[in-house]
Amino acid sequence: MTKVVGIAIVRNGSDLNEPVPLTMACDLASYGYFQRQTVKELLTFLTKQFIKRTEPGQRQSVAHEGYVVHCYARSDGLCGTVTTDQEYPARVAFVLLGQLLEEFSAAQGSSWQSVTAAESVAYPPIEDYLKKYQDPAAADKVTKIQKDLDETTQILHKTIDSVLERGVKLDSLVERSNDLSSQSKLFYKSAKKTNSCCVLS
């Protein structure tokens, strides 16, 4: 079954050292209770890493080990990611992002442009998007109005290695990250060894 694991709205810009996740929604019910916080930390980490490497005005899908992170960076610095399994249609993910970012921008005005604290913007509709877009076939009825997205947008499909700079490995970024607890780092390593989790390595 196709699935959306997480959605994030992110602020990025030259005035920031790291992209700032403004708000997030995750569907972690398929993970064990004690794994959920760790999986959420990893989703946040990967969201920040991929948004940092997505040029303004660009859409890209980064696939690895059964999951895809669809990234969209608007030219005004408002960005978003949707993390899905590989069967989820990219077109639907990008329509979700386009609509969500447009509605968020309209509701928040320019107030988001000065936010520097992670997940400090309350935006309840993101949870509705997470539920509504779990079934891409049902959501696709809504997206037919915007089906020109496929024709007018070039979606870049990349592997994780091509997104990261030459010589930089995700393993070393995880090790150096201050965003991940030692438990999350240990979980990342063990999940990579067993290749049985959501970890995008």
Side-chain angles (χ1 to χ4, degrees), residues 85-155:
D85 61 13
Q86 286 188 325
E87 289 79 38
Y88 200 90
R91 181 173 60 81
V92 177
F94 286 112
V95 167
L96 179 164
L97 281 172
Q99 289 176 347
L100 178 64
L101 294 180
E102 195 62 39
E103 288 178 19
F104 178 84
S105 180
Q108 298 292 320
S110 62
S111 64
W112 63 268
Q113 294 175 338
S114 60
V115 175
T116 56
E119 297 188 57
S120 60
V121 178
Y123 189 67
I126 196 170
E127 294 287 346
D128 298 334
Y129 272 86
L130 183 65
K131 290 178 188 141
K132 177 180 173 183
Y133 280 86
Q134 285 299 338
D135 180 7
D140 204 29
K141 293 173 187 167
V142 174
T143 66
K144 289 191 186 317
I145 298 168
Q146 297 182 8
K147 82 177 204 181
D148 63 336
L149 183 67
D150 277 339
E151 298 146 16
T152 60
T153 304
Q154 178 183 12
I155 298 172

Side-chain angles (χ1 to χ4, degrees), residues 12 19 30 37 42 73 90 93 135 142 145-146 158:
N12 196 16
S30 62
Q37 182 60 36
L42 289 169
D135 180 7
V142 174
I145 298 168
Q146 297 182 8
K158 299 181 179 184

Side-chain angles (χ1 to χ4, degrees), residues 18 51 78 111-112:
E18 291 273 315
I51 286 297
L78 188 61
S111 64
W112 63 268

